[in-house]
Amino acid sequence: MRRVRARAAGAISLVLLLMAGAALQAQTVRKHAGALADFSAAVEELCDSVSPAVVQIDIRLRVPVESDDAGKTAFFAKERASGSGVIVDAAGYILTNAHVVEGSRDIDVSVADASDPEKKDAHKHYAGKVVGLDKETDLAVVKIEAKNLPTLSFRDSDKLRQGQIVF
C-alpha cells in the first residue's frame, strides 16, 4: 500500500511539475508573442511610411539567341524583366540592382501617384536612364525626369551598433 501511495504521490508531483512548467511556458510565450506582435506592427508601419519611395522597374532588352553552330549567335530576341528600386533623391534618382537594368534598351519606372488618395493603386510611368552601374556591388542608379518625389534616406552606417536590426 505504501508503494502505491508513493507512486501515486510521485505521479501527482510529476503532473503538478508539468502543469507548473506548462503555465510558465505559456506565460513566456504570451510575453514573447506580445513583443513579436509589437515588432510586426512596427515593421508594417515602417513599410507603409517608405512605400511611396519604392518603385517598380520594367525593362526591355535584346539578348542573343545561341545557335547550335559552335556557340555562335544567330539572332537576337526581345525579353522583358522587372525589379524594384528606391527613390533616393527628389529630383528623380533611383537606386536599384545592377542586374535589373544591365543591358536594358528601354526602362519604364512606375512611381506611386499620391495626388489622389482615393486611388491607392494609381501610378505614374516615367522613362528611365541608367546613369551609373557597378557590377561588383550589384548597384545601379537610374534617373527619371520628375520633381518633388518621395525619397528614402540613408542613415550614417558609422553609427550602427553590433546586433542592431537594419532594413
Side-chain angles (χ1 to χ4, degrees):
M1 185 73 147
R2 280 188 171 165
R3 277 189 169 175
V4 172
R5 283 187 197 160
R7 283 187 183 166
I12 291 170
S13 297
L14 180 60
V15 168
L16 290 174
L17 276 173
L18 289 173
M19 288 174 60
L24 183 60
Q25 185 178 15
Q27 180 182 8
T28 302
V29 167
R30 279 193 300 276
K31 174 184 163 191
H32 293 300
L36 286 174
D38 291 345
F39 179 70
S40 181
V43 171
E44 285 180 49
E45 187 178 324
L46 175 67
C47 289
D48 284 344
S49 70
V50 301
S51 175
V54 177
V55 300
Q56 180 175 336
I57 299 172
D58 294 307
I59 66 159
R60 288 187 323 183
L61 66 155
R62 288 189 178 182
V63 293
V65 176
E66 297 287 328
S67 71
D68 290 337
D69 185 21
K72 293 183 181 176
T73 303
F75 298 100
F76 287 90
K78 291 181 182 178
E79 278 192 11
R80 292 182 178 267
S82 65
S84 62
V86 292
I87 304 168
V88 293
D89 185 279
Y93 289 94
I94 297 163
L95 185 65
T96 188
N97 292 106
H99 72 266
V100 170
V101 295
E102 184 179 10
S104 61
R105 292 191 61 178
D106 296 306
I107 301 174
D108 175 68
V109 179
S110 178
V111 179
D113 182 5
S115 64
D116 186 356
E118 296 296 318
K119 297 181 181 177
K120 293 184 179 185
D121 292 331
H123 288 83
K124 288 185 179 179
H125 293 266
Y126 299 92
K129 178 182 175 187
V130 176
V131 294
L133 188 130
D134 182 19
K135 290 181 186 180
E136 190 173 318
T137 60
D138 193 28
L139 291 174
V141 176
V142 172
K143 172 76 167 93
I144 60 175
E145 293 304 320
K147 303 251 185 268
N148 301 319
L149 296 168
T151 63
L152 184 66
S153 60
F154 292 97
R155 299 295 174 129
D156 185 349
S157 62
D158 290 336
K159 294 181 180 176
L160 289 175
R161 293 185 325 269
Q162 186 174 4
Q164 193 170 8
I165 296 173
V166 177
F167 288 94

